[in-house]
Amino acid sequence: MISIKRAARAAAVLTGIGATALGAVSIAQADTPSSASSRHNGARTTAGDGTSVSVPISGRDRVYTADQTSNTVTVIDPSTNKTLGTIALGAQRLGATLSPQYTDNVGVHGLAFSRDDKRLGVVSVTSNTVDIIDTATNKVINETDVGRASHEGTFTADGKQFWVADRGRDTVTVVDAVHGGVIRNIKVGTGPSKVVLSPDGRTAYVNHISAPEITVVDVRTHKVLDNIKGLGDTFSSDEAISPDGKELWAAHKRVGLTSVIDLEHRKVAAVLKTGPDTNHPNFADTKNGSFAYLTVGGLDQTLVYRRSPGGTPELVTRIQDTGRAPHGLWPSGDGTRMYVGMEKSDAVDVIDTATNKVIDTVGVGQEPQALVYVPNAAPAGSAANLGRQGLGNAPRNVSTTLPDGTAGETMRPDNKGRQLEATIRPVSGLDMIQLQARGLQPTTTYQAYSVQKDGSRIRLLSFTTDSAGNAPQVLAFADFTGVSVSLSSEGKATAQTLARMSSAVASMHPGSDSAVEAADLLYCDCC
């Protein structure tokens, strides 16, 4: 059954029930390299998505962020670095989203765009939906219910299909991007996380959150061609393909590594130690050479590597971002700028790739995840059909105290990141209190408190760390009146608590190994 935007559903979207397209739909044919480049006057492609380089920044271009908490897509004019507004795909968290009658999207998270720059694909990870948006009008063309825990996807070269990875299943869902609806599901192995295409559009590459490998799929036949094994970790959250199609970089968020895959020989060329909460990679070809950019959320840094196809890349510099938790990033059409979303600051940094300096910062919707730059997305330069949902409610990152009295938010040496971060974000009349812990005592229960101005403490919540002493995503919703957050240790977690955590992981992701923590999937702080 095809699901069109705003149409009534037979069941609430939070159940994530998939849909099956009625009737026969032809398989999309990949564009040849010549036809793909002819649309851009013979320009080369960047990041394997078919967009052109050497296209000067203009008011016709757009930068988009997928805002997970406000359930919006923010639209930015890169010629002025001004936020034009947001496209609301659902209500803000809580409130209406908990209602069994709620029919809009939850967890706006993934982004991709068609090679003709006319369509934007948006993946909502909680409602398991894909929205196709007309970039000229900012209107939703169609919406499709897809697989469980859908995450990141891509358009085929002809723009007729959108392939999205279903983390909660072993499938990539193929969506009819023109009419809406599911064409078919391709089995690719457990926990697929993202799909990217080769520059010629003929080959798809899928990373996983449950296997240290990349699955290679023929786009025309939908057949699995190969599995590239030996990645640095089983959990690969994001990936990107280089402009020349020779390399694929796969980020391993939980362990702070990045695998560099040689696609010509289909083997791992290097595993880089990049830092805690390594998020998205991307590429920029500049007058100074070919570079890979990589966000490291736990260090608030964007790393820059000089590419060395077939060898080990060289770390050129570390860019200190202006906000917390850099996440998605994308180069401008001419490679002169890199745009980086700040997940815990609701902002986008603009980096000059010639100097690798942040030259501007732009406010966006709440909790930006994926980010894309689309040249010529708005040919008329319009900003029609935009609202203000999610804007003007910037979060606060407050200080924290560990059980031994030391500061938890201090950046630790040796690129270990902060031990305890607390982000307070207003949403739906309450505050979303988000904690992230690293390097605490393993399998230990902690009590978190809101510390008031007079030093008194109010209980917020309790949480249990994993076997590495981490808690990637801890959430509470309350009226936060404190000035900081403190922790006390409640001791080792009981066997019952650990069993409950393990059961939660198994129920959310059947077939996953025990290393995938509940928080990895519950709120998807793992893009």
Side-chain angles (χ1 to χ4, degrees):
M1 174 175 144
I2 296 175
S3 173
I4 305 300
K5 184 68 180 174
R6 312 303 178 200
R9 293 186 177 91
V13 296
L14 294 178
T15 61
I17 299 174
T20 304
L22 295 175
V25 182
S26 62
I27 296 174
Q29 301 294 316
D31 278 355
T32 63
S34 59
S35 64
S37 63
S38 65
R39 291 195 302 272
H40 298 294
N41 301 316
R44 291 177 297 143
T45 59
T46 180
D49 58 18
T51 60
S52 58
V53 297
S54 300
V55 177
I57 296 172
S58 80
R60 297 181 299 276
D61 301 350
R62 293 290 182 263
V63 175
Y64 302 93
T65 64
D67 313 318
Q68 183 167 266
T69 289
S70 55
N71 288 315
T72 55
V73 173
T74 297
V75 184
I76 299 170
D77 180 348
S79 69
T80 60
N81 288 333
K82 300 298 183 184
T83 297
L84 301 176
T86 60
I87 305 169
L89 297 179
Q92 288 179 294
R93 285 189 180 274
L94 290 184
T97 62
L98 298 179
S99 168
Q101 285 81 40
Y102 181 77
T103 59
D104 286 336
N105 293 330
V106 183
V108 175
H109 190 99
L111 290 177
F113 58 97
S114 59
R115 295 193 177 193
D116 62 6
D117 307 324
K118 294 180 179 180
R119 300 289 184 267
L120 188 69
V122 186
V123 183
S124 297
V125 295
T126 307
S127 52
N128 304 316
T129 44
V130 169
D131 285 271
I132 305 298
I133 294 175
D134 182 333
T135 58
T137 64
N138 298 312
K139 288 186 175 181
V140 174
I141 300 170
N142 60 69
E143 181 182 276
T144 301
D145 298 319
V146 291
R148 178 66 176 156
S150 53
H151 187 237
E152 291 271 11
T154 191
F155 284 90
T156 50
D158 60 7
K160 294 180 180 179
Q161 297 178 359
F162 187 88
W163 290 30
V164 61
D166 306 319
R167 280 181 161 182
R169 296 291 182 263
D170 61 355
T171 57
V172 166
T173 297
V174 179
V175 173
D176 181 344
V178 179
H179 305 97
V182 174
I183 295 173
R184 65 166 296 180
N185 289 299
I186 306 170
K187 288 194 173 184
V188 293
T190 58
S193 189
K194 185 174 183 176
V195 187
V196 297
L197 258 63
S198 58
D200 64 12
R202 295 186 177 120
T203 309
Y205 299 94
V206 184
N207 63 337
H208 298 261
I209 61 170
S210 301
E213 62 188 47
I214 301 294
T215 301
V216 185
V217 182
D218 183 277
V219 172
R220 186 182 64 84
T221 66
H222 295 177
K223 301 296 185 183
V224 173
L225 302 175
D226 200 0
N227 287 286
I228 305 171
K229 299 182 180 297
L231 274 65
D233 188 58
T234 57
F235 190 103
S236 173
S237 51
D238 199 81
E239 62 175 346
I241 193 167
S242 60
D244 54 16
K246 293 182 178 180
E247 291 181 341
L248 186 145
W249 288 44
H252 305 293
K253 180 169 186 172
R254 292 183 308 147
V255 296
L257 301 176
T258 300
S259 295
V260 180
I261 296 98
D262 177 351
L263 292 181
E264 289 188 307
H265 301 94
R266 291 186 180 173
K267 67 177 184 179
V268 175
V271 177
L272 309 175
K273 188 175 181 180
T274 46
D277 295 346
T278 296
N279 280 316
H280 289 210
N282 217 313
F283 304 89
D285 284 346
T286 74
K287 61 182 181 180
N288 296 321
S290 182
F291 298 91
Y293 286 70
L294 188 74
T295 55
V296 184
L299 301 179
D300 301 335
Q301 293 178 346
T302 299
L303 309 188
V304 185
Y305 287 87
R306 185 180 297 276
R307 292 182 54 218
S308 177
T312 301
E314 171 196 359
L315 179 61
V316 175
T317 190
R318 295 174 177 268
I319 302 170
Q320 196 64 43
D321 294 299
T322 64
R324 292 281 185 94
H327 203 121
L329 77 169
W330 209 275
S332 59
D334 58 6
T336 62
R337 301 286 185 267
M338 184 67 68
Y339 293 79
V340 183
M342 302 290 127
E343 178 181 345
K344 294 180 181 178
S345 297
D346 296 358
V348 168
D349 273 354
V350 184
I351 295 172
D352 183 334
T353 58
T355 63
N356 284 323
K357 303 292 185 183
V358 177
I359 59 173
D360 206 349
T361 301
V362 185
V364 296
Q366 293 182 302
E367 202 174 17
Q369 302 291 301
L371 178 153
V372 293
Y373 185 110
V374 186
N376 204 37
S382 67
N385 303 305
L386 298 179
R388 305 297 295 177
Q389 180 172 308
L391 300 178
N393 293 308
R396 292 179 290 145
N397 291 286
V398 302
S399 60
T400 62
T401 305
L402 300 175
D404 63 1
T406 59
E409 80 280 2
T410 303
M411 195 69 75
R412 295 179 291 170
D414 300 322
N415 295 324
K416 292 181 180 178
R418 300 177 174 88
Q419 277 199 280
L420 181 64
E421 297 183 62
T423 303
I424 315 299
R425 178 180 278 110
V427 54
S428 297
L430 291 174
D431 291 312
M432 187 174 83
I433 304 159
Q434 176 185 342
L435 306 182
Q436 181 171 7
R438 306 180 187 91
L440 300 181
Q441 292 299 312
T443 58
T444 298
T445 298
Y446 290 89
Q447 176 66 47
Y449 298 88
S450 169
V451 181
Q452 308 302 294
K453 287 183 179 180
D454 62 4
S456 62
R457 301 192 303 175
I458 299 174
R459 282 176 175 262
L460 287 176
L461 55 86
S462 63
F463 65 92
T464 299
T465 56
D466 61 22
S467 58
N470 301 327
Q473 183 74 279
V474 180
L475 290 179
F477 293 87
D479 184 11
F480 185 84
T481 58
V483 294
S484 66
V485 170
S486 67
L487 289 188
S488 67
S489 174
E490 303 293 302
K492 283 291 185 179
T494 65
Q496 182 181 13
T497 297
L498 295 176
R500 189 165 58 245
M501 290 174 64
S502 178
S503 176
V505 173
S507 65
M508 285 187 291
H509 189 67
S512 68
D513 61 22
S514 60
V516 179
E517 301 295 336
D520 289 330
L521 293 171
L522 181 61
Y523 189 73
C524 202
D525 182 40
C526 48
C527 178

